[in-house]
Amino acid sequence: MKKKYVLVSGLAFGEKADMRKLKKLAQQGWILDGITSFFYRFRKGQPQTLDYSVDYRSDYDDEYFTIFQEAGWTHRATLGEIHIFSAPEGTTPLYLDTAEQSEQYLPMIRETAKGSAISFLVLVILAIALRVGGVPGWLSHVLFVFLVFAWVVFVFNFMPCIGFMVRRLRMARAGQ
Amino acid sequence: MTVSAIETITDNVYYILVSLLTDKHGYLIMQTIEGLTDGEFVIGPASLYTNLKKLLKAGLIAERPGEKSNQKVYSITSSGIEALRREVKRKEKMVKLARQGLASFDGGDDK
């Protein structure tokens, strides 16, 4: 079966743009089939007009997918707390209440904030260890690799955290 | 104690409780609310799921397995009915206030 992979542009900042991209690909017959940290996966199918929507949720059961399916939303992909659904154009949206919708970002904010704090702590400890010196040459190379790794983890947690926080505030304000 | 877990009865919660005065499964709740309000009030599936979980936790509704697998049937509990009654009283007071105010505003020619 024909497959296609497209880069995820980051749901924290580019959720709307990404959903538009998924819609465009569905019109060309590429239907979302899965998601990893960096790629959307598509399989070739019939060209169709689909709306895509994301729901963030860590606590759910089978009933979750049943209700969505009955309401017209087909489950397409899940990555951790991120669930992507599609539905024919004009289907009742996942949320109509923006204040309530803003609540869904709370677990994402909590998770990324935790990741940011831990990686930042590791970053500081490694930086101090390398600064203070007294570390044998080979070990400092290893520590440096860890430092770069911690930096990457930090960026990939801190940026989404800010993104989700901004989105939540904006939505909560719009809902008032 | 359990009732206090739901601080405010939002419109979503209000309509879910009203629709559950007779037992229903998830999607039927959505359809019923739309029907009861002539399509003026619509609840999305994500809101519905979130609120069902909240109401279950607060003990205002109960669930049992439905006919189809993966489908649950929900019903309002006695504390749910109590909460709904309180909310109706609150809303009646609100409406009464506005009605009286509007009546004097219109020069007493209300009704």
Side-chain angles (χ1 to χ4, degrees):
Chain A
M1 192 181 263
K2 272 169 90 180
K3 297 268 182 194
K4 185 189 184 90
Y5 296 85
V6 172
L7 212 59
V8 173
S9 59
L11 285 167
F13 290 101
E15 183 184 306
K16 269 192 189 154
D18 270 21
M19 292 308 110
R20 274 199 300 272
K21 193 155 66 182
L22 298 185
K23 183 172 186 158
K24 212 167 162 190
L25 281 160
Q27 280 163 346
Q28 296 163 12
W30 290 105
I31 313 301
L32 184 71
D33 187 36
I35 181 176
T36 64
S37 298
F38 298 104
F39 291 100
Y40 292 114
R41 190 180 66 226
F42 301 86
R43 62 176 166 73
K44 192 72 185 161
Q46 289 296 319
Q48 50 198 289
T49 306
L50 290 178
D51 278 337
Y52 281 93
S53 209
V54 191
D55 189 42
Y56 301 87
R57 204 175 295 266
S58 50
D59 189 18
Y60 60 91
D61 53 15
D62 291 344
E63 168 86 341
Y64 172 57
F65 298 109
T66 307
I67 287 182
F68 276 54
Q69 183 69 55
E70 286 182 333
W73 290 93
T74 306
H75 177 238
R76 295 293 182 188
T78 285
L79 174 69
E81 297 89 351
I82 302 166
H83 311 283
I84 303 179
F85 297 86
S86 77
E89 249 183 341
T91 306
T92 304
L94 301 188
Y95 292 92
L96 286 117
D97 183 330
T98 40
E100 200 174 272
Q101 188 176 10
S102 72
E103 294 289 306
Q104 69 168 332
Y105 294 113
L106 276 176
M108 300 303 289
I109 292 170
R110 232 175 269 142
E111 188 119 322
T112 47
K114 202 163 73 183
S116 307
I118 292 169
S119 54
F120 187 72
L121 196 70
V122 172
L123 206 60
V124 169
I125 292 169
L126 288 174
I128 291 172
L130 284 168
R131 225 348 121 86
V132 168
V135 183
W138 67 271
L139 187 60
S140 71
H141 288 306
V142 174
L143 288 186
F144 186 72
V145 171
F146 279 130
L147 186 107
V148 172
F149 183 73
W151 172 247
V152 171
V153 172
F154 174 71
V155 169
F156 275 86
N157 275 287
F158 188 67
M159 297 303 281
C161 185
I162 299 294
F164 285 124
M165 275 161 78
V166 169
R167 181 105 49 85
R168 175 163 180 264
L169 273 177
R170 251 189 231 152
M171 258 183 195
R173 228 175 261 162
Q176 274 170 6
Chain B
M1 238 347 244
T2 48
V3 178
S4 65
I6 292 263
E7 300 101 13
T8 46
I9 306 263
T10 60
D11 285 356
N12 280 337
V13 166
Y14 182 77
Y15 284 119
I16 291 172
L17 288 178
V18 171
S19 76
L20 285 180
L21 288 169
T22 49
D23 301 2
K24 277 174 192 69
H25 63 78
Y27 181 50
L28 194 55
I29 298 172
M30 279 179 67
Q31 288 176 308
T32 305
I33 291 173
E34 207 174 332
L36 282 175
T37 62
D38 292 326
E40 265 179 41
F41 194 90
V42 181
I43 183 167
S47 292
L48 176 67
Y49 185 78
T50 304
N51 280 301
L52 284 175
K53 292 288 147 183
K54 271 190 201 165
L55 288 167
L56 279 169
K57 216 170 164 191
L60 300 190
I61 63 170
E63 62 177 10
R64 59 168 196 275
E67 285 165 27
K68 286 188 243 170
S69 62
N70 291 345
Q71 197 182 55
K72 283 170 185 161
V73 174
Y74 300 90
S75 53
I76 194 165
T77 61
S78 53
S79 15
I81 289 180
E82 213 176 283
L84 187 60
R85 281 221 170 94
R86 264 203 308 275
E87 179 61 17
V88 168
K89 262 194 200 133
R90 194 182 72 89
K91 283 196 157 77
E92 272 170 354
K93 258 191 206 161
M94 284 168 68
V95 170
K96 203 176 149 196
L97 273 174
R99 234 188 221 143
Q100 283 167 350
L102 281 171
S104 57
F105 183 81
D106 293 337
D109 56 9
D110 189 35
K111 279 176 204 172

